[in-house]
Amino acid sequence: QSFKLLGFLDVKSVPCSRESVLYGSVGSLVVGLGHFLATSRVRRSCDFAVGGFICTMLGYWFYCRYNLAQHRIRQRMLKEGMRNKILFEGSSLDPERKQTGNERSDS
């Protein structure tokens, strides 16, 4: 069972969408209630609540997607490093292998 926001955003399968909606709703509540307590204007407070939802949701969306991209880049680099470690381990191309004087003169 998937939940689609606005009919097209599948909240369950798209990364960061669930958290963005949750933080957006909390931001909406805080901004709307804060504006209402400050001014006692209901309609204007609802407008501020909608704006708070959109700003908070988009702000967290970009923050989360940026962190997700950074995490994927680090995973890719780690995977490539592990593959190179396995490939070059014990060979003359191994950077951790200490070269002796005889090996240096042969190269």
Side-chain angles (χ1 to χ4, degrees):
Q1 185 86 321
S2 66
F3 173 70
K4 293 194 179 211
L5 184 67
L6 301 174
F8 65 91
L9 179 63
D10 190 7
V11 175
K12 189 174 184 180
S13 65
V14 176
C16 299
S17 63
R18 179 179 177 269
E19 291 85 7
S20 297
V21 171
L22 290 175
Y23 280 117
S25 62
V26 170
S28 168
L29 180 71
V30 168
V31 170
L33 189 61
H35 189 270
F36 176 74
L37 291 175
T39 63
S40 297
R41 295 173 62 189
V42 176
R43 184 178 170 106
R44 187 78 170 163
S45 297
C46 290
D47 293 341
F48 268 80
V50 170
F53 174 78
I54 291 170
C55 290
T56 307
M57 187 180 77
L58 288 177
Y60 188 76
W61 172 269
F62 288 120
Y63 170 76
C64 183
R65 295 296 286 197
Y66 176 77
N67 283 339
L68 184 64
Q70 292 293 322
H71 180 71
R72 287 182 178 166
I73 289 170
R74 285 192 299 267
Q75 273 185 327
R76 193 177 320 124
M77 288 173 55
L78 184 62
K79 186 177 180 181
E80 184 178 329
M82 289 172 57
R83 188 173 0 113
N84 287 340
K85 171 80 173 164
I86 292 170
L87 185 65
F88 295 128
E89 190 173 30
S91 70
S92 62
L93 299 174
D94 188 4
E96 292 182 4
R97 186 174 170 195
K98 297 195 187 272
Q99 293 183 350
T100 61
N102 293 338
E103 291 175 353
R104 283 190 204 139
S105 62
D106 292 341
S107 305

